[in-house]
Every structure is written in C-alpha cells, then in structure tokens.
Amino acid sequence: GAVVSQHPSRVICKSGTSVKIECRSLDFQATTMFWYRQFPKKSLMLMATSNEGSKATYEQGVEKDKFLINHASLTLSTLTVTSAHPEDSSFYICSADPVTSRGTEAFFGQGTRLTVV
Amino acid sequence: AQTVTQSQPEMSVQEAETVTLSCTYDTSESDYYLFWYKQPPSRQMILVIRQEAYKQQNATENRFSVNFQKAAKSFSLKISDSQLGDAAMYFCAYRARTGNQFYFGTGTSLTVIP
C-alpha cells in the first residue's frame, strides 16, 4: 500500500524555538496534504489543507503565522511550528491523497509527538 | 457543517466474540464516503474499511463489516472473531466526494479481553 513518511516521530524543543515537521508521500504524488492535531485520547482536528504550489488553507482558530505550511512539491509538505510554547505540545499527523484517488482514500503519516519545554 | 458522532467512548469484547461500534453522521450531501480507521498505541492511522454512499451493499473486509443505513445516517462497524490485535482506538470518518476534508468522530476505545 501507499506510504506516507512523517519525520521526526518525536521532537523535544525549547520554548521560543521553531520546529519543522516533514510529511512525504514515498510512492505516490499528492496534490493535497492535510495537517491534523490530536490531543491525548481525543479525535483528530484538522489544522490546515496544504495544496502543492499554492498557499495553505487554515481552519478557523489556527494561527497561520504560527503554523507555517509549505507544499513545495507533489511529495513533500512541511509544517513549521514557530516560536513554540508548551501549549503547542501535541501529536501532529499528516495525511496525503494520491492524485489518482479522487478523494476515495488518504494515507496517514505515523505522526510526530512534539514536546515543548 | 458535517458532524460525526460516536456515542461509545469505550467498548470491550471477549476474544473470539463479536462487537459492534456505532457511528452516526449528519450531512446534506448525497454523495460521500464513510470510513473506519483504527489507531493502535503506535498512533498510526490504519484504514479498516471504506463505504461509498451510492453503493447500497455493505462493505466487508475479512472480519470487518459495516451496516450502512443511509436514510438513518448510520454507519456501524462489526468486528467478528475479535483478536487481541484489534485492541485500539477506532475512528469513524466522513468525507464528501466533492470536498477534501475528513470529519472524524471522537473515537471508541476498544479493549479485547483474553
């Protein structure tokens, strides 16, 4: 099956620093990738939709200047948490739609656990 | 806005028995997809089963089957012959055919008792 690789799987950073999370589709092209945030024992909350070659679309309440998304190629989207604070600590998950799927399926990365100290 | 409701925060089942997880959704769309995803302790989201709304036949994948009631907007997951490896959080999800976004339910934590 299709594979989405998310890196790093865990990261600890100091408050005030920035962290970049990568989401790569390894064996397919994805025009659209999605970034989710998941709190412990909670559901996935969509943060933003990342489209290759254009600006990301952010959900209401998500600060676009804090969570920078870049989708520079059909296989890579990045999420940068800028000036991270402890409240940004969470589990971040990306997903990608194969170009050919037309919405019938999406593949998820393994997630990134961010801890801000 | 579309909403997905999972009314069972926790469920348990004896190994080899059958369990049904409930899911209801709300939408004004006529064409959409419904999914069940499994999230084990590793946190990797794994697709269990998918249903296309225009198909009346319930989807089946080995021990996993769904009961899709379009008029009632209900989409339950039945796990037969439960195995220890089925223990996980299960999320019901909706996606409109014309849209991009997944809408997830709040999840059901399934425990399998040996």
Side-chain angles (χ1 to χ4, degrees):
Chain A
V3 176
V4 173
S5 176
Q6 195 172 333
H7 178 80
S9 57
R10 291 175 180 267
V11 59
I12 300 172
C13 71
K14 291 185 176 181
S15 186
T17 62
S18 296
V19 173
K20 179 183 286 187
I21 302 170
E22 293 187 347
C23 180
R24 291 181 185 272
S25 55
L26 297 185
D27 49 4
F28 65 93
Q29 292 184 328
T31 52
T32 304
M33 292 186 176
F34 303 87
W35 288 96
Y36 297 86
R37 183 172 181 175
Q38 187 180 28
F39 292 102
K41 297 186 179 181
K42 298 292 184 183
S43 189
L44 282 71
M45 301 302 296
L46 180 67
M47 298 175 65
T49 302
S50 168
N51 294 297
E52 186 266 338
S54 63
K55 290 184 177 181
T57 302
Y58 290 82
E59 295 301 299
Q60 190 173 8
V62 178
E63 298 176 60
K64 61 182 179 182
D65 293 330
K66 180 168 189 60
F67 298 100
L68 299 179
I69 291 173
N70 183 276
H71 193 157
S73 77
L74 287 172
T75 59
L76 174 65
S77 176
T78 61
L79 168 67
T80 301
V81 183
T82 63
S83 186
H85 288 97
E87 58 265 30
D88 298 325
S89 298
S90 191
F91 193 72
Y92 294 88
I93 304 176
C94 71
S95 73
D97 280 19
V99 170
T100 55
S101 74
R102 292 186 288 180
T104 56
E105 59 187 330
F107 298 94
F108 288 81
Q110 68 270 45
T112 297
R113 181 177 301 283
L114 170 64
T115 303
V116 184
V117 298
Chain B
Q2 284 77 10
T3 57
V4 179
T5 302
Q6 292 179 251
S7 59
Q8 305 155 317
E10 298 179 345
M11 291 284 284
S12 62
V13 62
Q14 292 278 352
E15 196 175 2
E17 296 296 309
T18 296
V19 64
T20 298
L21 308 184
S22 301
C23 174
T24 59
Y25 60 95
D26 187 26
T27 183
S28 57
E29 301 277 345
S30 60
D31 199 8
Y32 49 86
Y33 305 102
L34 296 165
F35 305 81
W36 278 98
Y37 279 93
K38 170 184 177 181
Q39 188 180 43
S42 68
R43 308 292 290 272
Q44 174 74 59
M45 295 287 283
I46 302 167
L47 177 66
V48 175
I49 200 164
R50 176 180 62 234
Q51 176 80 41
E52 297 180 57
Y54 71 88
K55 290 185 178 179
Q56 292 185 330
Q57 186 173 6
N58 289 325
T60 300
E61 287 288 344
N62 300 315
R63 298 182 295 108
F64 299 88
S65 62
V66 298
N67 183 4
F68 173 48
Q69 301 290 326
K70 191 172 184 179
K73 295 180 182 175
S74 170
F75 183 62
S76 61
L77 174 69
K78 185 171 81 171
I79 305 174
S80 304
D81 186 25
S82 298
Q83 300 176 359
L84 294 178
D86 295 333
M89 182 73 82
Y90 286 80
F91 291 99
C92 178
Y94 163 98
R95 189 181 215 189
R97 185 182 283 271
T98 56
N100 290 355
Q101 184 178 351
F102 275 91
Y103 293 88
F104 288 92
T106 49
T108 296
S109 178
L110 178 66
T111 300
V112 180
I113 303 166

Short mmCIF file of all heavy atoms in Angstrom, two decimals, chain A residues 1 5 18 24 34 36 39 42-43 49 61 63 75 81 85 88 103 105 107 113-116:
data_model
loop_
_atom_site.label_atom_id
_atom_site.label_comp_id
_atom_site.label_asym_id
_atom_site.label_seq_id
_atom_site.Cartn_x
_atom_site.Cartn_y
_atom_site.Cartn_z
N GLY A 1 0.82 -1.20 0.00
CA GLY A 1 0.00 0.00 0.00
C GLY A 1 0.86 1.25 0.00
O GLY A 1 2.07 1.20 0.22
N SER A 5 5.48 9.06 4.92
CA SER A 5 6.50 9.11 5.96
C SER A 5 6.51 10.47 6.61
O SER A 5 6.60 11.50 5.94
CB SER A 5 7.87 8.81 5.35
OG SER A 5 8.89 8.94 6.32
N SER A 18 11.80 27.10 16.93
CA SER A 18 10.93 26.62 15.86
C SER A 18 11.24 25.17 15.54
O SER A 18 12.38 24.72 15.66
CB SER A 18 11.10 27.48 14.60
OG SER A 18 10.67 28.80 14.85
N ARG A 24 6.11 13.23 3.81
CA ARG A 24 6.46 12.81 2.46
C ARG A 24 5.62 11.64 2.00
O ARG A 24 5.43 10.67 2.73
CB ARG A 24 7.93 12.36 2.40
CG ARG A 24 8.94 13.44 2.57
CD ARG A 24 10.36 12.89 2.45
NE ARG A 24 11.34 13.93 2.74
CZ ARG A 24 11.82 14.76 1.84
NH1 ARG A 24 11.43 14.66 0.57
NH2 ARG A 24 12.70 15.67 2.16
N PHE A 34 -2.88 17.09 4.27
CA PHE A 34 -3.62 17.66 5.39
C PHE A 34 -2.80 17.53 6.66
O PHE A 34 -2.09 16.56 6.87
CB PHE A 34 -4.94 16.90 5.59
CG PHE A 34 -5.82 16.88 4.37
CD1 PHE A 34 -5.68 15.89 3.41
CD2 PHE A 34 -6.78 17.85 4.19
CE1 PHE A 34 -6.48 15.88 2.29
CE2 PHE A 34 -7.59 17.84 3.06
CZ PHE A 34 -7.44 16.85 2.12
N TYR A 36 -3.15 17.55 10.82
CA TYR A 36 -4.07 17.40 11.94
C TYR A 36 -3.30 17.52 13.25
O TYR A 36 -2.11 17.24 13.34
CB TYR A 36 -4.74 16.03 11.92
CG TYR A 36 -5.60 15.75 10.71
CD1 TYR A 36 -5.05 15.24 9.55
CD2 TYR A 36 -6.97 15.99 10.75
CE1 TYR A 36 -5.84 14.98 8.44
CE2 TYR A 36 -7.77 15.72 9.65
CZ TYR A 36 -7.20 15.21 8.50
OH TYR A 36 -7.99 14.96 7.41
N PHE A 39 -4.99 15.76 20.46
CA PHE A 39 -4.71 15.80 21.89
C PHE A 39 -4.92 14.41 22.45
O PHE A 39 -5.63 13.59 21.86
CB PHE A 39 -5.59 16.83 22.57
CG PHE A 39 -5.25 18.24 22.18
CD1 PHE A 39 -6.01 18.93 21.27
CD2 PHE A 39 -4.13 18.87 22.72
CE1 PHE A 39 -5.68 20.23 20.89
CE2 PHE A 39 -3.80 20.15 22.35
CZ PHE A 39 -4.57 20.83 21.43
N LYS A 42 -8.13 12.08 22.24
CA LYS A 42 -9.10 12.91 21.54
C LYS A 42 -9.05 12.61 20.04
O LYS A 42 -8.20 11.86 19.57
CB LYS A 42 -8.82 14.39 21.77
CG LYS A 42 -8.92 14.83 23.20
CD LYS A 42 -10.34 14.78 23.71
CE LYS A 42 -10.44 15.31 25.13
NZ LYS A 42 -11.83 15.21 25.66
N SER A 43 -9.98 13.23 19.32
CA SER A 43 -10.03 12.99 17.89
C SER A 43 -9.02 13.85 17.14
O SER A 43 -8.33 14.68 17.74
CB SER A 43 -11.44 13.29 17.39
OG SER A 43 -11.57 12.87 16.04
N THR A 49 -5.19 22.62 5.22
CA THR A 49 -5.10 21.85 3.98
C THR A 49 -3.99 22.45 3.14
O THR A 49 -3.99 23.67 2.89
CB THR A 49 -6.43 21.90 3.21
OG1 THR A 49 -7.46 21.39 4.04
CG2 THR A 49 -6.35 21.07 1.94
N GLY A 61 -9.39 29.47 13.73
CA GLY A 61 -8.75 29.36 15.03
C GLY A 61 -7.30 28.91 14.96
O GLY A 61 -6.61 28.92 15.98
N GLU A 63 -3.58 29.64 13.88
CA GLU A 63 -2.77 30.81 13.52
C GLU A 63 -1.82 30.46 12.38
O GLU A 63 -0.88 29.68 12.55
CB GLU A 63 -1.97 31.26 14.73
CG GLU A 63 -2.80 31.70 15.92
CD GLU A 63 -1.90 32.03 17.10
OE1 GLU A 63 -1.06 32.93 16.96
OE2 GLU A 63 -2.02 31.37 18.15
N THR A 75 5.34 15.61 -3.45
CA THR A 75 5.61 14.54 -2.50
C THR A 75 6.02 15.05 -1.13
O THR A 75 6.33 14.25 -0.24
CB THR A 75 6.72 13.61 -3.03
OG1 THR A 75 7.90 14.38 -3.24
CG2 THR A 75 6.30 12.92 -4.33
N VAL A 81 6.35 24.82 13.25
CA VAL A 81 5.77 25.46 14.44
C VAL A 81 6.76 26.52 14.87
O VAL A 81 7.87 26.21 15.32
CB VAL A 81 5.53 24.43 15.56
CG1 VAL A 81 4.85 25.11 16.75
CG2 VAL A 81 4.68 23.27 15.06
N HIS A 85 5.56 27.12 22.08
CA HIS A 85 5.30 27.25 23.51
C HIS A 85 4.77 25.93 24.04
O HIS A 85 4.30 25.09 23.27
CB HIS A 85 4.31 28.38 23.76
CG HIS A 85 4.88 29.73 23.54
ND1 HIS A 85 4.73 30.43 22.37
CD2 HIS A 85 5.64 30.52 24.34
CE1 HIS A 85 5.35 31.59 22.46
NE2 HIS A 85 5.92 31.66 23.65
N ASP A 88 1.77 24.27 22.66
CA ASP A 88 1.83 23.67 21.32
C ASP A 88 2.19 22.20 21.38
O ASP A 88 2.15 21.51 20.35
CB ASP A 88 2.86 24.41 20.47
CG ASP A 88 2.52 25.87 20.26
OD1 ASP A 88 1.31 26.19 20.15
OD2 ASP A 88 3.45 26.71 20.24
N GLY A 103 -10.21 11.40 -3.90
CA GLY A 103 -10.87 11.50 -2.61
C GLY A 103 -11.31 10.20 -2.00
O GLY A 103 -11.87 10.19 -0.90
N GLU A 105 -9.50 7.78 -0.91
CA GLU A 105 -8.68 7.32 0.20
C GLU A 105 -7.58 8.32 0.50
O GLU A 105 -7.23 9.15 -0.34
CB GLU A 105 -8.08 5.95 -0.10
CG GLU A 105 -7.20 5.88 -1.33
CD GLU A 105 -6.79 4.46 -1.64
OE1 GLU A 105 -6.67 3.66 -0.72
OE2 GLU A 105 -6.57 4.15 -2.83
N PHE A 107 -3.82 8.54 2.98
CA PHE A 107 -2.86 7.78 3.75
C PHE A 107 -2.23 8.69 4.79
O PHE A 107 -1.92 9.84 4.52
CB PHE A 107 -1.81 7.16 2.82
CG PHE A 107 -2.42 6.20 1.84
CD1 PHE A 107 -2.78 6.63 0.58
CD2 PHE A 107 -2.63 4.88 2.19
CE1 PHE A 107 -3.36 5.74 -0.32
CE2 PHE A 107 -3.21 4.00 1.30
CZ PHE A 107 -3.57 4.43 0.05
N ARG A 113 5.23 13.46 17.71
CA ARG A 113 4.92 13.92 19.07
C ARG A 113 5.86 15.08 19.40
O ARG A 113 7.07 14.90 19.48
CB ARG A 113 5.11 12.81 20.09
CG ARG A 113 4.75 13.26 21.52
CD ARG A 113 4.88 12.10 22.50
NE ARG A 113 4.00 10.99 22.15
CZ ARG A 113 2.70 10.98 22.37
NH1 ARG A 113 2.11 12.01 22.95
NH2 ARG A 113 1.98 9.93 22.05
N LEU A 114 5.28 16.25 19.55
CA LEU A 114 6.05 17.46 19.86
C LEU A 114 5.90 17.79 21.34
O LEU A 114 4.78 17.90 21.83
CB LEU A 114 5.58 18.65 19.02
CG LEU A 114 6.13 20.02 19.40
CD1 LEU A 114 7.64 20.07 19.21
CD2 LEU A 114 5.45 21.11 18.58
N THR A 115 7.02 17.94 21.98
CA THR A 115 7.04 18.37 23.38
C THR A 115 7.85 19.65 23.47
O THR A 115 9.02 19.69 23.07
CB THR A 115 7.66 17.31 24.29
OG1 THR A 115 6.94 16.07 24.15
CG2 THR A 115 7.60 17.75 25.76
N VAL A 116 7.23 20.69 23.97
CA VAL A 116 7.91 21.98 24.13
C VAL A 116 8.16 22.18 25.62
O VAL A 116 7.23 22.18 26.43
CB VAL A 116 7.07 23.13 23.56
CG1 VAL A 116 7.85 24.43 23.65
CG2 VAL A 116 6.67 22.84 22.13
#
